[in-house]
């Protein structure tokens, strides 16, 4: 969908104007890589992990 900006970069001019940024008269738009993997480890914490499985008939929540 973003190819339209590559083919017609001038349609971005009003947006740049609202932001107060000068838009070049002759602009070129290029697609760049979208991989945002970081070279260093990134800590990720989650709030909850749920495991869903078949019920064994107990009413104790499936814990042993």
């Amino acid at each position: 969908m973003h190819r339209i900006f590559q083919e017609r970069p001038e349609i971005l001019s009003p947006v740049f104007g609202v932001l107060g940024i000068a838009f070049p008269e002759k602009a070129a738009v290029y697609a760049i890589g979208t991989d945002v993997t970081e070279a260093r480890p990134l800590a990720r914490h989650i709030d909850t992990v749920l495991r869903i499985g078949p019920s064994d008939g107990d009413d104790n929540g499936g814990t042993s």
Side-chain angles (χ1 to χ4, degrees), residues 1-3 11-12 14 26 29 32 34 39 50 52 55-56 58 60-62:
M1 289 183 63
H2 297 111
R3 186 157 298 173
I11 64 176
L12 292 170
K26 292 187 176 186
V29 178
I32 58 174
T34 57
L50 301 175
I52 310 294
S55 172
D56 60 2
D58 289 340
N60 64 4

Side-chain angles (χ1 to χ4, degrees), residues 1-12 29-31:
M1 289 183 63
H2 297 111
R3 186 157 298 173
I4 191 169
F5 301 119
Q6 289 176 277
E7 295 170 0
R8 299 196 47 214
E10 69 275 5
I11 64 176
L12 292 170
V29 178
Y30 303 96

Side-chain angles (χ1 to χ4, degrees), residues 35-58:
D35 183 4
V36 293
T37 303
E38 294 193 24
R40 60 186 174 88
L42 178 65
R44 296 201 171 138
H45 303 278
I46 55 176
D47 293 327
T48 305
V49 175
L50 301 175
R51 180 178 176 197
I52 310 294
S55 172
D56 60 2
D58 289 340

Side-chain angles (χ1 to χ4, degrees), residues 15-22:
V15 176
F16 276 61
V18 168
L19 296 173
I21 301 170

